[in-house]
Every structure is written in C-alpha cells, then in structure tokens.
C-alpha cells in the first residue's frame, strides 16, 4: 500500500470515527505502528488532523479534514474518478476547478498529492499546484494547504452549490491562463456536449474551458447520456473524460471516435 493510499484510508477512518488509535489503525491497514505514527505526524504537519498521544483526532471544523466526504450518491466512484484525474495533472500546473461533489474530491486528491510529495512549507517554496476556483467550499479546504496556491474568483455566491457567478467571476477568469481545467457536469451527450442545470454556472464553466490548454471532465457514469438545461461546451473542447466502469461500451466508443481520451476507473 502506497503512502497516498494509506493517507486516504487513515483520513476515511478518521472521518467515520472522529479519532484514530495507532495500534487499531496499524491492524486495519496491515502495517506497522511505526508507519502509522510517521503518517499521522506528517498529516498533522499538513494540518489534515490533530496529533494526540497514541493517535489523532479530527479538526474541530469539518471542512478542514480533506477526506470528510459528504453523504451523496456514487461517493466511492467519485473518489476513484478524482484520484485518477489528479494523477493526470502535472507538478506545478495551474488548475481550474468549478464547483461540484466530484471536483471537490479532485481538490482533496490534489491536497493529498501535494502533502505527500513536498515538505517545504516556507513562503519562498514554489507551490505544488496553483488552483483557480469559483467554488467557496473548495477554496475553504485548500486555503490551509501551504503547498497549494489558491486563487478564488469574485462573484455572487449561489447557496445551492457554493459557486461564485456573475461579471466579477468573469473578470478574474479573463485575466488568468490555466494549464488544465477540471470540470464537473450534470450531463454528457456525445452529440450536444457537456451540460449543467444552471445557465450562470454553465457560462463560468465554459470560460474555465476557454482559458485552459487542456480540459478534463470528471463525472460518474450516471451522468452519461443525460441532458441538462444549460450547455457548457461541445465535446470537441474536451480532451479527457474520467468516469467509472459502468460507462456503456457504445458510448465509450462514440467518445473515443470523437477524439476524447476516456479513462475508466
């Protein structure tokens, strides 16, 4: 089991129980207590938990725990999709993230990557990633990660999705360039493109795609073949689609024929 996998499992256990015991965690993960102690020390340094004698506890504010997954449909699929998408992002990249449960998981996966691969937290250290987002919950989680530079767009907050929209959001995005945009969507139609329910969110997600050299769509297979109210962009603007193994074979073939790289996890 890799360090990244151990960290994910430890944080999942912590999210479920609220506290961890070194000996119990070592038994569960089938590693030595010394390994668990080192992992907990490093996670404490990354502000992902609070180290205690013999174990660890969760932070008092829930959003500070990167893998405190909220209850939602297809949670395990979204976590696998997010981990795979994060591996497609290069060290030092400028990453655009719109709002949504799957892109939130991508942010958490990037935080784990940054934390496990870099120990220098000084002000002069180059960030592992720069994340540009219009999602308040993503910004809140990443703001305490010293290895990630976080840029938050302005705008008017939509309480249903925590996304910032409007002219202020557009103004900021027009001034930045992204290496990659990772988009969560509400529908994917091979002919019409990717879609979402709200037209104001669709326009911001479209701008994320326009400002990026590469566009990755992350979605569980339940969204495939579905249509939503507002179109974000056509499939010709998408470079990679990451989804789960329930994707129908005929749809995977259509996407591949359209020149999209399909990653199935």
């Amino acid at each position: 089991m890799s360090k990244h996998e151990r960290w994910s499992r430890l944080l999942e256990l912590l999210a479920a129980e609220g506290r961890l015991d070194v000996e119990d965690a070592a038994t569960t993960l089938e590693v030595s207590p010394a390994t668990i102690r080192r992992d907990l020390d490093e996670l404490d340094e990354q502000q992902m938990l609070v180290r205690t004698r013999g174990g660890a506890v969760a932070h008092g504010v829930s959003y500070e725990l990167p893998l405190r997954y909220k209850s939602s449909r297809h949670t395990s699929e979204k976590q696998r999709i997010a981990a795979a998408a994060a591996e497609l992002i290069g060290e030092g990249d400028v990453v655009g993230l719109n709002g949504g449960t799957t892109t939130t998981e991508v942010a958490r996966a990037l935080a784990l990557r940054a934390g496990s691969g870099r120990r220098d937290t000084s002000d002069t250290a180059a960030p592992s990633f720069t994340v540009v987002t219009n999602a308040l919950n993503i910004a809140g989680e990443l703001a305490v990660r010293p290895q990630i530079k976080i840029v938050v767009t302005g705008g008017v907050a939509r309480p249903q999705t925590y996304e910032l929209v409007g002219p202020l959001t557009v103004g900021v995005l027009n001034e930045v360039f992204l290496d990659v945009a990772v988009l969560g969507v509400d529908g994917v139609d091979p002919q019409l493109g990717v879609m979402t329910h709200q037209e104001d969110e669709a326009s911001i997600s479209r701008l994320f795609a326009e400002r990026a050299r590469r566009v990755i769509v992350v979605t569980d297979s339940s969204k495939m073949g579905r249509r939503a109210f507002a179109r974000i962009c056509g499939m010709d603007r998408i470079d990679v689609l990451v989804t789960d193994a329930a994707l129908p074979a005929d749809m995977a073939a259509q996407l591949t024929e359209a020149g999209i790289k399909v990653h199935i996890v």
Side-chain angles (χ1 to χ4, degrees):
M1 181 182 292
S2 69
K3 178 188 286 189
H4 177 86
E5 292 170 331
R6 288 200 312 274
W7 282 25
S8 295
R9 288 287 292 122
L10 287 170
L11 290 169
E12 288 172 3
L13 292 170
L14 187 58
E17 304 295 334
R19 63 175 57 249
L20 283 175
D21 176 80
V22 168
E23 299 294 335
D24 290 344
T27 300
T28 300
L29 272 61
E30 299 182 338
V31 297
S32 70
T35 297
I36 296 297
R37 292 189 189 95
R38 285 195 298 271
D39 286 340
L40 295 182
D41 288 341
E42 291 183 39
L43 287 167
D44 179 71
E45 289 179 10
Q46 304 305 324
Q47 302 180 36
M48 295 178 180
L49 48 75
V50 176
R51 193 73 164 87
T52 63
R53 183 177 178 84
V57 296
H59 276 289
V61 181
S62 63
Y63 68 70
E64 291 186 346
L65 185 61
L67 292 184
R68 174 159 284 180
Y69 305 113
K70 72 176 187 178
S71 177
S72 63
R73 296 180 62 193
H74 311 291
T75 300
S76 61
E77 289 90 342
K78 290 176 181 178
Q79 291 166 6
R80 293 197 304 272
I81 289 165
E87 291 301 321
L88 299 176
I89 296 170
E91 182 84 7
D93 275 359
V94 179
V95 185
L97 294 175
N98 69 351
T101 53
T102 309
T103 50
T104 297
E105 297 294 350
V106 173
R108 292 165 176 165
L110 288 175
L112 281 177
R113 270 192 62 191
S116 62
R118 185 185 294 265
R119 300 293 294 276
D120 187 352
T121 60
S122 66
D123 292 339
T124 59
S128 295
F129 308 101
T130 296
V131 172
V132 180
T133 187
N134 69 322
L136 292 173
N137 64 310
I138 291 175
E141 291 202 10
L142 296 185
V144 297
R145 310 297 170 214
Q147 297 85 2
I148 296 179
K149 178 180 178 180
I150 179 74
V151 178
V152 186
T153 68
V156 178
R158 296 195 73 255
Q160 297 90 343
T161 61
Y162 308 112
E163 289 189 71
L164 298 169
V165 297
L168 293 175
T169 315
V170 172
V172 170
L173 289 178
N174 276 332
E175 297 300 321
V176 300
F177 294 94
L178 308 173
D179 292 303
V180 57
V182 181
L183 302 180
V185 300
D186 294 312
V188 178
D189 185 288
Q191 282 73 48
L192 298 178
V194 294
M195 291 155 277
T196 191
H197 295 307
Q198 299 295 327
E199 68 278 5
D200 49 2
E201 293 178 5
S203 65
I204 298 303
S205 294
R206 184 181 309 119
L207 188 52
F208 270 113
E210 291 172 356
R211 305 304 293 175
R213 291 191 298 108
R214 191 162 57 108
V215 178
I216 300 173
V217 168
V218 290
T219 180
D220 64 80
S221 59
S222 70
K223 310 287 182 60
M224 304 301 297
R226 286 176 52 180
R227 298 179 181 179
F229 174 69
R231 185 174 184 263
I232 296 172
C233 63
M235 300 306 295
D236 59 334
R237 190 64 190 86
I238 307 303
D239 297 288
V240 181
L241 185 140
V242 186
T243 189
D244 60 77
L247 174 70
D250 59 340
M251 186 167 292
Q254 291 181 59
L255 295 170
T256 301
E257 288 174 5
I260 298 168
K261 294 181 180 178
V262 179
H263 283 253
I264 297 177
V265 299

